[in-house]
Tab-separated table of all heavy atoms in Angstrom:
chain	number	residue	atom	x	y	z
B	16	MET	N	87.238	117.089	67.298
B	16	MET	CA	87.959	116.755	68.534
B	16	MET	C	87.325	115.545	69.225
B	16	MET	O	88.003	114.596	69.612
B	16	MET	CB	87.977	117.953	69.495
B	16	MET	CG	88.867	119.100	69.087
B	16	MET	SD	90.600	118.655	69.056
B	16	MET	CE	90.985	118.602	70.806
B	105	ASN	N	87.214	123.860	76.407
B	105	ASN	CA	87.955	124.984	76.990
B	105	ASN	C	87.030	125.835	77.855
B	105	ASN	O	86.857	127.026	77.610
B	105	ASN	CB	88.558	125.848	75.883
B	105	ASN	CG	89.884	125.288	75.389
B	105	ASN	OD1	90.608	124.625	76.125
B	105	ASN	ND2	90.203	125.550	74.131
B	130	VAL	N	92.261	119.629	77.244
B	130	VAL	CA	92.832	118.712	76.240
B	130	VAL	C	93.524	119.583	75.205
B	130	VAL	O	92.902	120.475	74.640
B	130	VAL	CB	91.729	117.872	75.543
B	130	VAL	CG1	92.353	116.948	74.487
B	130	VAL	CG2	90.947	117.050	76.555
B	131	SER	N	94.786	119.343	74.986
B	131	SER	CA	95.503	120.150	74.000
B	131	SER	C	96.155	119.282	72.935
B	131	SER	O	96.609	118.175	73.209
B	131	SER	CB	96.587	120.995	74.679
B	131	SER	OG	97.279	121.730	73.693
B	132	GLY	N	96.203	119.840	71.745
B	132	GLY	CA	96.897	119.146	70.657
B	132	GLY	C	96.162	119.227	69.345
B	132	GLY	O	96.627	118.694	68.337
B	133	GLY	N	94.997	119.900	69.365
B	133	GLY	CA	94.236	120.042	68.123
B	133	GLY	C	93.725	118.703	67.634
B	133	GLY	O	93.734	117.709	68.360
B	185	LYS	N	94.818	124.551	81.710
B	185	LYS	CA	94.630	124.668	80.245
B	185	LYS	C	94.497	126.129	79.840
B	185	LYS	O	95.012	126.544	78.791
B	185	LYS	CB	93.397	123.872	79.805
B	185	LYS	CG	93.108	123.968	78.303
B	185	LYS	CD	94.252	123.410	77.484
B	185	LYS	CE	94.193	123.453	75.998
B	185	LYS	NZ	93.265	124.136	75.207
B	188	HIS	N	97.927	127.477	79.804
B	188	HIS	CA	98.585	126.889	78.618
B	188	HIS	C	98.257	127.749	77.393
B	188	HIS	O	99.126	128.104	76.588
B	188	HIS	CB	98.095	125.447	78.419
B	188	HIS	CG	98.401	124.863	77.068
B	188	HIS	ND1	97.700	125.192	75.928
B	188	HIS	CD2	99.359	123.988	76.660
B	188	HIS	CE1	98.197	124.553	74.887
B	188	HIS	NE2	99.212	123.808	75.305
B	189	ASN	N	96.989	128.093	77.253
B	189	ASN	CA	96.583	128.874	76.082
B	189	ASN	C	97.131	130.299	76.126
B	189	ASN	O	97.454	130.870	75.088
B	189	ASN	CB	95.054	128.891	75.964
B	189	ASN	CG	94.522	127.603	75.360
B	189	ASN	OD1	95.155	126.564	75.489
B	189	ASN	ND2	93.383	127.662	74.724
B	192	GLU	N	100.456	129.958	74.889
B	192	GLU	CA	100.309	129.703	73.440
B	192	GLU	C	100.142	131.035	72.679
B	192	GLU	O	100.812	131.274	71.667
B	192	GLU	CB	99.089	128.803	73.250
B	192	GLU	CG	98.662	128.518	71.834
B	192	GLU	CD	97.354	127.692	71.796
B	192	GLU	OE1	97.310	126.599	72.390
B	192	GLU	OE2	96.368	128.158	71.184
B	193	TYR	N	99.290	131.904	73.184
B	193	TYR	CA	99.086	133.215	72.553
B	193	TYR	C	100.410	133.980	72.493
B	193	TYR	O	100.756	134.592	71.493
B	193	TYR	CB	98.094	134.056	73.362
B	193	TYR	CG	96.622	133.892	73.043
B	193	TYR	CD1	96.016	132.638	73.028
B	193	TYR	CD2	95.822	135.001	72.801
B	193	TYR	CE1	94.657	132.501	72.775
B	193	TYR	CE2	94.459	134.870	72.551
B	193	TYR	CZ	93.880	133.618	72.539
B	193	TYR	OH	92.541	133.499	72.305
B	261	GLY	N	91.890	135.954	64.987
B	261	GLY	CA	90.720	135.610	65.804
B	261	GLY	C	91.124	135.148	67.185
B	261	GLY	O	92.322	135.011	67.490
B	262	SER	N	90.166	134.930	68.030
B	262	SER	CA	90.445	134.328	69.340
B	262	SER	C	89.133	133.864	69.947
B	262	SER	O	88.087	134.448	69.689
B	262	SER	CB	91.134	135.316	70.271
B	262	SER	OG	90.239	136.336	70.613
B	263	LYS	N	89.252	132.808	70.748
B	263	LYS	CA	88.035	132.303	71.391
B	263	LYS	C	87.960	132.719	72.849
B	263	LYS	O	87.030	132.354	73.553
B	263	LYS	CB	87.970	130.783	71.263
B	263	LYS	CG	87.790	130.321	69.832
B	263	LYS	CD	87.167	128.940	69.783
B	263	LYS	CE	87.311	128.330	68.408
B	263	LYS	NZ	88.689	127.835	68.183
B	264	GLY	N	88.973	133.420	73.332
B	264	GLY	CA	88.848	134.004	74.671
B	264	GLY	C	89.761	133.466	75.758
B	264	GLY	O	89.889	134.089	76.804
B	265	THR	N	90.409	132.331	75.531
B	265	THR	CA	91.203	131.768	76.634
B	265	THR	C	92.417	132.640	76.984
B	265	THR	O	92.804	132.720	78.148
B	265	THR	CB	91.671	130.335	76.306
B	265	THR	OG1	92.111	130.322	74.943
B	265	THR	CG2	90.555	129.334	76.479
B	266	GLY	N	92.990	133.311	75.976
B	266	GLY	CA	94.119	134.211	76.258
B	266	GLY	C	93.662	135.382	77.097
B	266	GLY	O	94.313	135.775	78.071
B	290	ARG	N	96.355	140.886	69.094
B	290	ARG	CA	95.267	140.279	68.301
B	290	ARG	C	94.118	141.288	68.182
B	290	ARG	O	93.474	141.384	67.141
B	290	ARG	CB	94.749	138.995	68.957
B	290	ARG	CG	95.699	137.831	68.800
B	290	ARG	CD	94.994	136.492	68.997
B	290	ARG	NE	95.948	135.423	69.195
B	290	ARG	CZ	95.625	134.132	69.285
B	290	ARG	NH1	94.365	133.746	69.207
B	290	ARG	NH2	96.557	133.218	69.464
B	368	ILE	N	100.022	122.074	72.245
B	368	ILE	CA	100.443	123.092	71.273
B	368	ILE	C	101.747	123.777	71.708
B	368	ILE	O	102.532	124.193	70.865
B	368	ILE	CB	99.318	124.148	71.089
B	368	ILE	CG1	97.998	123.485	70.663
B	368	ILE	CG2	99.726	125.237	70.091
B	368	ILE	CD1	98.001	122.793	69.329
O	501	LIG	C1	95.010	123.450	72.104
O	501	LIG	C2	94.506	124.774	71.603
O	501	LIG	C3	93.038	124.728	71.383
O	501	LIG	C4	92.525	125.824	70.472
O	501	LIG	C5	92.576	127.191	71.089
O	501	LIG	C6	92.608	128.267	70.047
O	501	LIG	O1	95.631	123.468	73.139
O	501	LIG	O2	94.781	122.445	71.430
O	501	LIG	O3	94.794	125.773	72.535
O	501	LIG	O4	92.424	124.640	72.613
O	501	LIG	O5	93.210	125.817	69.283
O	501	LIG	O6	91.408	127.338	71.825
O	501	LIG	O7	92.288	129.428	70.686
O	501	LIG	P1	92.005	130.766	69.963
O	501	LIG	O8	90.902	130.502	68.957
O	501	LIG	O9	91.555	131.645	71.050
O	501	LIG	O10	93.263	131.174	69.297
Side-chain angles (χ1 to χ4, degrees):
M16 288 296 285
N105 276 332
V130 179
S131 178
K185 179 62 182 10
H188 165 284
N189 281 27
E192 174 185 304
Y193 272 53
S262 68
K263 293 204 195 77
T265 43
R290 286 200 195 186
I368 304 296

